[in-house]
Amino acid sequence: MSVNETIMTNKLRRPKTLSLLLVVFFTLSTMSLPACSDNDNNTTPQRVVQAMVYFDDEGPAATAWVQDGDQNFVSDAVLTINDRPFELVYLGDEASDEDNIPIYYLELYDLKSGDSLTLVAKRPDGTMIYASPSVQIPMPLELVEPEPDHAIVPGAEVVVSWTGGEGATHIAAFYADDLGEEQYLDVQKYGDVEAITIPEGIIREGGGIIGATALSGDSASFQTTAREEPVESSFF
């Protein structure tokens, strides 16, 4: 699945930081993982990969994480997009390895909206973990509402609207506060709605980010409630 977003903060690079938007997707994808092990009825795959392509100021870049059947993050997978290999970085406290999360990262700055991507993830021995179908990068969005000088009232609803995004399968409105403690994501099929309202009680006092994102790929990866079926690998 590929994402072309309208608002970004810090990008994931060697300083090992994530934008607030990536924190939103990371949290929503991991919070819904079922509590299963490798041997629970043989239904949970031994490796699951969650990968995304997003736009920073210089162009498309990709991040991914891989977990085993016990939901442990693993660092021995081999990931590529269009045969280009990811590098391994770590998200967390650079002074301590104990709580660091291995993240796979790849710059794709020569690509653009309309280009197609294919993700392949393998174990070190070459065993396939996941191979995605070809996914098209959506066209850029232009945020219409809220305007840059619009006063956001904590606790009030906020209407998010946009233009563009052709080639997307879905549109998402999102919010995250600066601390990453409050995150909200509302995903709708592209073309079904012209605006999405962030409801009352979501926006906190203080800094944060509100925006819209054009998405393409597997819509099942955007379920934000607990699900009983095993989580599957995805690419958006």
Side-chain angles (χ1 to χ4, degrees):
M1 193 176 288
S2 178
V3 53
N4 195 339
E5 60 185 306
T6 62
I7 302 177
M8 281 293 298
T9 56
N10 295 329
K11 55 194 173 184
L12 176 66
R13 293 169 70 79
R14 298 197 183 273
K16 305 178 182 69
T17 60
L18 283 176
S19 73
L20 288 175
L21 177 60
L22 296 184
V23 172
V24 173
F25 285 117
F26 180 86
T27 302
L28 292 176
S29 63
T30 57
M31 69 183 287
S32 56
L33 294 179
C36 300
S37 68
D38 283 348
N39 297 321
D40 286 346
N41 299 322
N42 295 319
T43 58
T44 303
Q46 294 182 346
R47 292 289 185 273
V48 171
V49 57
Q50 304 285 335
M52 69 182 74
V53 173
Y54 63 97
F55 270 68
D56 63 28
D57 291 337
E58 299 182 55
T63 62
W65 48 90
V66 182
Q67 290 177 289
D68 62 19
D70 293 322
Q71 302 181 33
N72 299 310
F73 291 94
V74 298
S75 59
D76 61 353
V78 179
L79 275 63
T80 62
I81 289 180
N82 294 1
D83 295 324
R84 304 182 188 187
F86 283 68
E87 65 173 314
L88 185 67
V89 296
Y90 287 87
L91 174 66
D93 183 1
E94 295 187 27
S96 172
D97 293 333
E98 182 177 352
D99 297 321
N100 284 350
I101 297 174
I103 299 291
Y104 299 84
Y105 176 69
L106 174 62
E107 293 177 353
L108 299 164
Y109 291 158
D110 60 315
L111 301 183
K112 62 187 183 302
S113 296
D115 288 340
S116 295
L117 308 174
T118 300
L119 170 75
V120 174
K122 297 180 179 180
R123 289 174 175 267
D125 63 4
T127 302
M128 186 70 69
I129 299 174
Y130 174 71
S132 76
S134 180
V135 175
Q136 181 180 346
I137 302 175
M139 299 302 291
L141 289 181
E142 179 180 352
L143 193 67
V144 177
E145 297 177 279
E147 297 181 348
D149 57 352
H150 178 73
I152 304 297
V153 179
E157 69 176 31
V158 177
V159 175
V160 180
S161 63
W162 57 85
T163 61
E166 293 82 1
T169 59
H170 291 75
I171 291 286
F174 64 88
Y175 162 75
D177 70 351
D178 277 344
L179 300 177
E181 295 177 351
E182 182 69 34
Q183 293 124 23
Y184 179 83
L185 183 69
D186 187 345
V187 182
Q188 303 289 334
K189 288 186 177 181
Y190 182 81
D192 283 1
V193 295
E194 296 181 353
I196 296 174
T197 299
I198 299 175
E200 294 181 356
I202 299 296
I203 307 297
R204 291 190 175 190
E205 184 175 358
I209 183 171
I210 297 172
T213 304
L215 307 167
S216 61
D218 181 10
S219 61
S221 64
F222 291 102
Q223 298 181 40
T224 60
T225 56
R227 49 185 186 260
E228 295 180 358
E229 67 270 18
V231 66
E232 296 181 352
S233 296
S234 65
F235 175 47
F236 66 88

